[in-house]
């Protein structure tokens, strides 16, 4: 009998409206992986941190890209979304400010998730 190791995907996105194609690609890959049944952990850092606030994803525009709120909702529904602790602090974002389902965690958690057996980490 062949045993298949469970795979997980950890995606860190550092880009926001400042690099819209890179940002949209990260969210698209995360949502696609969730739809395929992969265990996904999406980390929002740098300029992507702003998308943890209510309504901010709806402000993002990129022609020929799926709407960012839809992609974010898909990841929230089937995976995990994390806001970097330091990024949150630099932007005065607290747990009470973020949309439901977003957690705030630091580098130690990112490293732990990235080094889990069967994990693949991507950074955008």
């Amino acid at each position: 009998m062949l045993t298949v190791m469970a795979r997980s995907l950890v995606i860190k996105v550092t880009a926001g409206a400042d690099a819209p194609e890179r940002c949209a690609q990260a969210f698209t890959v995360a949502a696609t992986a969730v739809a395929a049944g992969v265990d996904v952990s999406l980390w929002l850092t740098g300029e992507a941190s702003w998308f943890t606030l209510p309504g901010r994803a709806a402000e993002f525009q990129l022609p020929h890209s799926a709407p960012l709120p839809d992609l974010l909702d898909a990841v929230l529904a089937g995976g995990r979304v994390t806001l970097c602790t330091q990024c949150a602090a630099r932007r005065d974002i607290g747990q009470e400010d973020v949309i439901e389902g977003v957690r705030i965690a630091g580098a130690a958690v990112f490293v732990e998730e990235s080094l889990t057996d069967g994990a693949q980490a991507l950074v955008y």
Side-chain angles (χ1 to χ4, degrees), residues 104-119:
I104 297 176
V109 177
F110 178 79
V111 170
E112 179 183 343
E113 287 185 359
S114 298
L115 294 178
T116 298
D117 285 342

Side-chain angles (χ1 to χ4, degrees), residues 11-19 22-24 26-27 42-53 56-57 60 68 72 81-84 87-88 91 93 98-99 102 124:
I11 299 172
K12 179 184 278 193
V13 56
T14 63
D18 59 324
R22 193 162 32 113
C23 176
F27 278 84
L42 178 64
W43 284 72
L44 303 181
T45 68
E47 286 303 300
S49 300
W50 296 114
F51 298 127
T52 63
L53 298 176
R56 291 302 277 275
F60 181 86
L68 203 65
L72 180 56
V81 177
T82 305
L83 170 59
C84 160
C87 299
R91 290 161 180 80
I93 299 172
V98 300
I99 55 179
V102 173
Y124 288 87

Side-chain angles (χ1 to χ4, degrees), residues 8-34:
S8 63
L9 187 58
V10 182
I11 299 172
K12 179 184 278 193
V13 56
T14 63
D18 59 324
E21 288 183 300
R22 193 162 32 113
C23 176
Q25 184 67 29
F27 278 84
T28 300
V29 168
T32 301
V34 166

